[in-house]
Amino acid sequence: MGGFEFLSPFVLAALVVLPAIWWLLKLTPPRPRREVFPPLAILLRLAKRDETPARSPWWLTLLRMALATLVILAIANPVINPDRTEIASGGPLALLVDNGWASAEDWAAITDAADALIEAAGRADQPVVLAFTAETAGDPRPVSATEARQRLAAAGPQPARPNRLPAATALVDALDGTAPGTIAFLADGLGEPDDTAALEMLNGAGAGDVLVMTADHTAPAAITAVDNGATASRITAVRAEAGPAEQLTINAYDLQGRVIAASPLVFETGATTATTEIRAPFEVRNDFARVAIDGAANAGAVHLLDDGFQRRRVALVSGSPANEAQPLLSAAYYLRQALAPYADLISSDAATLPEQLDALVEQKPSVIILSDVGTLSEETHALLEQWVGGGGTLIRFAGPRLASSEGDDTLLPVRLRSGARAFGGAMSWNEPQNLAPFPAESPFYGLPVPDDITVSRQVLAEPAPTLADHTWASLADGTPLVTENTLGDGRLVLFHTSADPNWSNLPISGYFVEMLRRIVNLSQASVAADGNGGSAQLLPPYRLLVANGTLSANVSGANPLAGDGGPQIATAENPPGLYGSSDGFTAVNLFGPQDTLSPLNTAALGEGSRFQPIGDAHAFSLKPWLLAAAMILLIADGVIMLAMNGAFSSLKTRRAALPLILAASLAAALPFAPGLAGKAHAQMSDTEIADLLYETHLAYVVTGEEEVDRISERGLKGLSDYISYRTALEPGDPVGIDPADDELAFFPLIYWPISASAPMPSQEAIAGIEAYMRNGGTVLFDTRDQYSPLGQSAVSANTARLRAILDNIDVPPLEPVPEGHVLTRAFYLLSDFPGRYDGSPLWVEARSGATSDMVTSGGDGVSPIIITGNDFAGAWATNPDMTPMLPTVPENPRQRQFAYRSGVNIVMYMLTGNYKADQVHVPALLERLGQ
């Protein structure tokens, strides 16, 4: 296609009359003259020479000639790239259209080309037989051109690979022995395994003309595999033609569709396969929801990731009691430190082991770790056996209890000898052993063999012919260190040494972290609590991939997926997408690791076929543009005539009204201006959220009492300014919040002034504060009454209100700040914490009496609640000129200075936790105290 032509060329004959139009447009009526008192002027001009008619200016005549020319050309309808589609006569038009994944980006051009062929068939009054290669069901019977155009408009690209043989068979069967005039194959340019048979069938239909139309650009590339390695995610892509070097970009998206990582993908010259790696922290790669080729809008350029790519939930159960006083002697401590960077750890506070495992299995972990757990009850053993059979991974560590238990436990990967083997002791058999190289079948393969890791004690496996097949790691003398076996759909793993440094120095090495990480990565993302013994589950379609590479909630036409745990490749019954639910899903992708792309081979159509590209140059009519230009010239001519006849002579007198008109128009438009109404109630924008994240802000609870809220705001402002002046921290302006509606996670400290005359906080506000405290936040309650009523019978109104609020919150036991508490030395060395008053102690969480079901801070030992009656905000509050708003009681500048220091210590304690409790600070503190 190409060129330029007039669809109504006979209209151009009107151009011959342009000279006549020129002559007609030469004259214009003489302009009337205006006289104040015309009689005398008329008499003076009676004896005048002969006048000639006034002529229009040449430029005005030229403008009118151009106007007439544009109208004539517009009626002739000039077209750029006119359609010259030709089809053979003598039979129906047979159309085979590729509407698979590779046609998504060219679908508009493909439908334009098909529509032109159908229009040509309509002009020749020929029926049309239309079939699509990616439709599971079709009706390619002969229809009229009008109905064929309707079917074409209703069709669309599909996220599937073309299936040309069934489509070609249906097309030939619909002809019912009638030889078509033209068979047109609109292809996506990529080859499929059954192309030869499909094209031979088309060639045998007896058509007088065979037309193949393909896009005139390189076929798209596709992603075939995404592997999550130890340090990077490896992406593999393929292309059809081994052409010149080509560079693409791979983007990784999270569940919200945001790009969180990217990497270049380079096809070398002559290569059809390319790989790249996205190196990012494990936590970032856990957020990958899909990877896609940047700029590509098709289903093949997208690879969906399922729950198998996400963080695993790991349950820890220790046979030995926890030692909070000396955590370095506990195996659970080393396991937590090793697993925390890449797994979500869960545990249970139940008193007995069966109760612990019941509670943990209900939370559907991917991995359960038993550290030195020996004999299991029958009920517990059956529960774990069922859980592992359903796909769970059970990791066990040896210890004294396991060494003394029976060696025929079915929840062990291998049979054990009774007793533990000791190295380097009084009863030693040998010197402590190093690790041997990892076998190729081990998940640890590829790790360098460390020289400094030794094992001094282990449990021994009974010799067996298949023992080597179940060994992932062994010692230098050949005895197994890590063994593995399967149970149903799950896996059993045993470390033959303990998880603490008593038997080996492995737990204090980086290899311990990497070995656990690789084992956890082998587990399933989630395991049903009622394991089904290995039977496949039917997963309903959750989100389906559409042809342009995006996910849609429309899941009609997809059958449930039989999830077998392996990679899933799309089929006609299960198109690409996510199957399952929001709690867990399996990804089905269009291509698998073994798939390749190849160019379309049309040799089976024979030598008589002709080829025509599907281009982006569509027929473009200039008629509307010419008519628009003619209208502009017509308006210009009218304005010129009005000006020549004095229509704008009085415009100057009207200019004064223009500002008033504009002001009135603006005033009328303001009520309808978008974005002016409702701004006060709009949700926070991304910019506002970013401001809260990039700068520390102290917050205060808005009570509804204007004076109290003003003092709170000015008090936190004064404290923030003092902190900026005295420390390296530079807080932003304080923020007033409503706990019932606002997000509290942005603020590390919330100041709540208690006022008995203010409305009682709602249950939603109290629940929000409780959740904030439970998740690591700190709330400073200030009754502002100087009393110390906790535990006393007589209380002030403000204290009574505080008690009413705390009755709805499960607070921990409280005590006044004891001597040596971190608050007394978080920044300044303090013995008490005055505010505007100096009579109330500062109450904090009594750490020794905290229980696990109370609100306790997760923030490194920071008390989630602080209570005072000394009116801190009143002491901190300053006027805009930096003078104090309220006097201290009694009036004492030194008391105000210590109030500021108390505020600094509270903020530093909240931000740094028990950092100042570390022993490294003791010498400096003793020196400051003169001891």
Side-chain angles (χ1 to χ4, degrees), residues 655-667:
R655 288 179 180 172
L658 184 59
L660 296 178
I661 295 174
L662 293 177
S665 301
L666 181 60

Side-chain angles (χ1 to χ4, degrees), residues 100-118:
W101 69 274
S103 64
E105 298 180 53
D106 299 319
W107 186 246
I110 291 174
T111 53
D112 286 346
D115 187 74
L117 291 169
I118 295 173

Side-chain angles (χ1 to χ4, degrees), residues 385-469:
E385 194 171 36
Q386 184 182 25
W387 176 82
V388 174
T393 298
L394 179 64
I395 303 177
R396 303 187 67 173
F397 282 87
R401 291 173 178 81
L402 184 61
S404 62
S405 65
E406 295 295 333
D408 57 353
D409 188 349
T410 58
L411 290 178
L412 293 172
V414 295
R415 184 178 176 85
L416 300 180
R417 290 183 177 180
S418 298
R421 171 184 174 186
F423 300 106
M427 302 294 294
S428 65
W429 298 351
N430 205 334
E431 293 297 325
Q433 294 290 307
N434 296 101
L435 269 64
F438 301 113
E441 299 79 12
S442 170
F444 314 139
Y445 182 74
L447 290 175
V449 179
D451 297 330
D452 55 345
I453 294 180
T454 58
V455 176
S456 58
R457 183 181 292 270
Q458 68 172 152
V459 292
L460 292 176
E462 286 283 359
T466 60
L467 180 59
D469 298 334

Side-chain angles (χ1 to χ4, degrees), residues 229-230 435-450 471-474 482 511 514-515 517-519 522:
L435 269 64
F438 301 113
E441 299 79 12
S442 170
F444 314 139
Y445 182 74
L447 290 175
V449 179
T471 301
W472 278 355
S474 58
V482 181
Y511 283 86
E514 183 61 20
M515 293 171 74
R517 190 194 70 80
R518 294 194 177 193
I519 297 175
L522 293 176

Side-chain angles (χ1 to χ4, degrees), residues 121-133:
R123 291 195 300 265
D125 197 20
Q126 296 175 358
V128 179
V129 183
L130 179 61
F132 298 95
T133 61

Side-chain angles (χ1 to χ4, degrees), residues 812-889:
L814 301 176
E815 65 177 356
V817 174
E819 183 179 359
H821 193 275
V822 177
L823 265 173
T824 64
R825 58 177 184 269
F827 191 85
Y828 294 101
L829 296 178
L830 299 175
S831 57
D832 60 353
F833 302 86
R836 190 176 173 218
Y837 311 115
D838 190 16
S840 171
L842 190 67
W843 294 82
V844 294
E845 177 187 6
R847 302 300 298 177
S848 60
T851 59
S852 60
D853 57 346
M854 295 182 179
V855 175
T856 57
S857 174
D860 197 16
V862 176
S863 175
I865 180 172
I866 302 176
I867 300 176
T868 186
N870 285 335
D871 191 8
F872 279 154
W876 299 335
T878 59
N879 295 309
D881 59 355
M882 303 304 292
T883 59
M885 288 183 61
L886 302 173
T888 60
V889 179

Side-chain angles (χ1 to χ4, degrees), residues 266-475:
V266 179
F267 286 95
E268 301 294 342
T269 302
T272 58
T273 303
T275 59
T276 186
E277 291 185 345
I278 296 181
R279 294 189 173 272
F282 190 86
E283 294 80 5
V284 175
R285 288 185 284 126
N286 276 339
D287 291 334
F288 290 179
R290 61 186 173 96
V291 295
I293 298 175
D294 186 34
N298 62 77
V302 176
H303 194 92
L304 301 175
L305 304 174
D306 54 23
D307 293 350
F309 211 81
Q310 309 302 316
R311 286 174 69 96
R312 305 299 196 268
R313 179 174 291 181
V314 179
L316 297 180
V317 178
S318 177
S320 58
N323 190 345
E324 295 183 358
Q326 293 179 307
L328 295 180
L329 301 180
S330 171
Y333 172 81
Y334 297 94
L335 289 171
R336 289 183 180 277
Q337 294 299 315
L339 293 167
Y342 54 84
D344 294 327
L345 303 179
I346 59 174
S347 59
S348 173
D349 296 326
T352 65
L353 182 61
E355 292 175 347
Q356 289 184 30
L357 289 174
D358 281 339
L360 293 174
V361 170
E362 285 295 327
Q363 300 183 55
K364 300 181 180 180
S366 301
V367 178
I368 294 179
I369 299 180
L370 301 182
S371 174
D372 192 21
V373 174
T375 304
L376 297 170
S377 65
E378 292 185 3
E379 179 184 357
T380 303
H381 191 281
L383 174 65
L384 284 177
E385 194 171 36
Q386 184 182 25
W387 176 82
V388 174
T393 298
L394 179 64
I395 303 177
R396 303 187 67 173
F397 282 87
R401 291 173 178 81
L402 184 61
S404 62
S405 65
E406 295 295 333
D408 57 353
D409 188 349
T410 58
L411 290 178
L412 293 172
V414 295
R415 184 178 176 85
L416 300 180
R417 290 183 177 180
S418 298
R421 171 184 174 186
F423 300 106
M427 302 294 294
S428 65
W429 298 351
N430 205 334
E431 293 297 325
Q433 294 290 307
N434 296 101
L435 269 64
F438 301 113
E441 299 79 12
S442 170
F444 314 139
Y445 182 74
L447 290 175
V449 179
D451 297 330
D452 55 345
I453 294 180
T454 58
V455 176
S456 58
R457 183 181 292 270
Q458 68 172 152
V459 292
L460 292 176
E462 286 283 359
T466 60
L467 180 59
D469 298 334
H470 300 289
T471 301
W472 278 355
S474 58
L475 299 180

